[in-house]
Amino acid sequence: MPQPRVLLLDHPAQEGGAELALVRLAEAIGDRVELAAVLFADGPLRRRLGDAGVRIVIVELDSAIATASRTGIVSGVLRSAGSALAFIPRLSRAIRGSGAQFVVANSLKSAVFASVAAPLAGRPWVWHLHDRLAPDYLPRVLVHVMRLLAVLGPRAVVVNSRATLATLPPRARRKSTVAYPGLPAGAFAPTPTRGPELTIGIIGRVSPTKGQREFLTAAAAVAPAHPQVGFVVVGAALFGEDEYESEMKQLADQLGISDRTDFTGWVSDAPERLRRMSIVVHASPVPAPFGQVVAEAMAAGVPGLATRPGGVSEVLDPRGTPLALSWPPPATRLLLPPRRPSP
């Protein structure tokens, strides 16, 4: 029996949480499905998917659209309407030329273009949704657009948590399936013995929804009583949020902790950075769609602090259903209210 042929669509060149989930999925199912991908920009994601055996085609999207932040995506598309319209037939030809039986859109932007290009190519499409469609997480106008798209566009929707599912309209929920992101086997390897240095860190795309501001404010409260502790911010701004990243570096200086805080920028070895931390913090001020770093910290045995709302509760909250049913939620994880960097 021939393998199903699936075409993956994604827009960023770098590896965010959704892209890491995509790579891990490709690694896990690549021997059962014939996978190809159309990426809208070239970068590290191309190499990672290629290493997983995925055939790659690059169809360049105007960088003004591809790198627009979530708050600026609507205005970015409107300003670059001509290039957005020209991109659709090119993407449709790539979909048709791939020979895929159906298309999977892995991001908000790729879903928008798939909703037009896939039908033009005569292919059904599925939306793998990694973002809560809620006004506390996305701009209100974008929320309305994407919720309508979820109802009218894809044949099916795969969501990364019950928290994400709850933000979909009822008609979209009826065609949705919850599939939690997986972890590679290496994530469960024993953590090497740490040295005497104490490091508290946060990992993820530098963005207001990820909580670097709250992390730094909490670090400043901890620093005077614990002079031996260092702090690390792992990650970079990926989608037009460079100003926020600059503000966070200025904030560390204003709080008097810049000499103890390492801003690493984008790194390719984030899991290894996590393993070297004494405590990992998930500080999202709004409900997170899933909380990939929390799951990775659990697997690595690194103590963690996390804010309660959203998908994180599905991973950790002892009163809910823990994601990892093979062991109870560890006592070394604490769930805290959001937006409360200090007592």
Side-chain angles (χ1 to χ4, degrees), residues 24-107:
R24 290 167 180 171
L25 181 62
E27 290 171 342
I29 68 171
D31 59 343
R32 287 168 284 164
V33 179
E34 185 180 328
L35 292 174
V38 171
L39 305 180
F40 301 175
D42 202 351
L45 181 58
R46 177 179 188 170
R47 177 183 56 78
R48 290 292 302 274
L49 284 173
D51 289 345
V54 180
R55 293 185 294 109
I56 308 294
V57 173
I58 304 295
V59 181
E60 291 279 354
L61 175 63
D62 187 332
S63 61
I65 302 173
T67 62
S69 68
R70 287 164 175 163
T71 57
I73 184 173
V74 175
S75 59
V77 170
L78 292 176
R79 285 196 304 269
S80 306
S83 61
L85 291 173
F87 178 76
I88 291 172
R90 291 194 289 122
L91 178 58
S92 182
R93 287 193 294 272
I95 292 172
R96 192 180 303 112
S98 72
Q101 295 163 300
F102 68 92
V103 175
V104 177
N106 195 58
S107 65

Side-chain angles (χ1 to χ4, degrees), residues 12-20 23 42-49 51 202-206 212 232-239 242 245 249 262-271 273 276:
Q14 299 282 14
E15 300 161 307
E19 286 66 47
L20 287 175
V23 169
D42 202 351
L45 181 58
R46 177 179 188 170
R47 177 183 56 78
R48 290 292 302 274
L49 284 173
D51 289 345
I202 185 170
I203 301 179
R205 177 171 53 86
V206 177
Q212 284 84 10
V232 59
V233 178
V234 178
L238 297 184
F239 305 126
D242 304 82
E245 185 174 8
K249 293 177 180 178
D262 179 20
F263 288 85
T264 69
W266 183 85
V267 298
S268 60
D269 62 341
R273 303 282 182 129
R276 294 200 292 266

Side-chain angles (χ1 to χ4, degrees), residues 153-323:
R155 180 75 58 87
V157 182
V158 178
V159 296
N160 61 352
S161 69
R162 296 195 302 271
T164 298
L165 179 69
T167 65
L168 290 174
R171 283 179 58 190
R173 287 181 216 165
R174 288 195 286 270
K175 59 180 178 179
S176 298
T177 300
V178 176
Y180 293 106
L183 293 174
F188 297 87
T191 300
T193 302
R194 300 181 185 88
E197 301 83 6
L198 296 177
T199 303
I200 302 176
I202 185 170
I203 301 179
R205 177 171 53 86
V206 177
S207 164
T209 63
K210 300 298 184 181
Q212 284 84 10
R213 183 183 301 278
E214 289 74 13
F215 172 78
L216 292 172
T217 305
V222 168
H226 300 278
Q228 78 282 18
V229 175
F231 308 100
V232 59
V233 178
V234 178
L238 297 184
F239 305 126
E241 292 169 320
D242 304 82
E243 184 176 346
Y244 176 78
E245 185 174 8
S246 297
E247 289 175 1
M248 293 306 97
K249 293 177 180 178
Q250 294 171 12
L251 178 61
D253 188 51
Q254 294 165 7
L255 293 172
I257 58 172
S258 58
D259 60 332
R260 295 167 59 177
T261 304
D262 179 20
F263 288 85
T264 69
W266 183 85
V267 298
S268 60
D269 62 341
E272 293 306 313
R273 303 282 182 129
L274 183 149
R275 287 174 174 275
R276 294 200 292 266
M277 293 179 183
S278 307
I279 298 174
V280 64
V281 177
H282 171 94
S284 178
V286 298
F290 175 63
Q292 185 74 32
V293 169
V294 177
E296 291 177 348
M298 287 179 68
V302 179
L305 299 173
T307 49
R308 182 172 292 117
V312 171
S313 296
E314 298 170 44
V315 180
L316 283 181
D317 194 341
R319 295 166 297 181
T321 302
L323 175 62

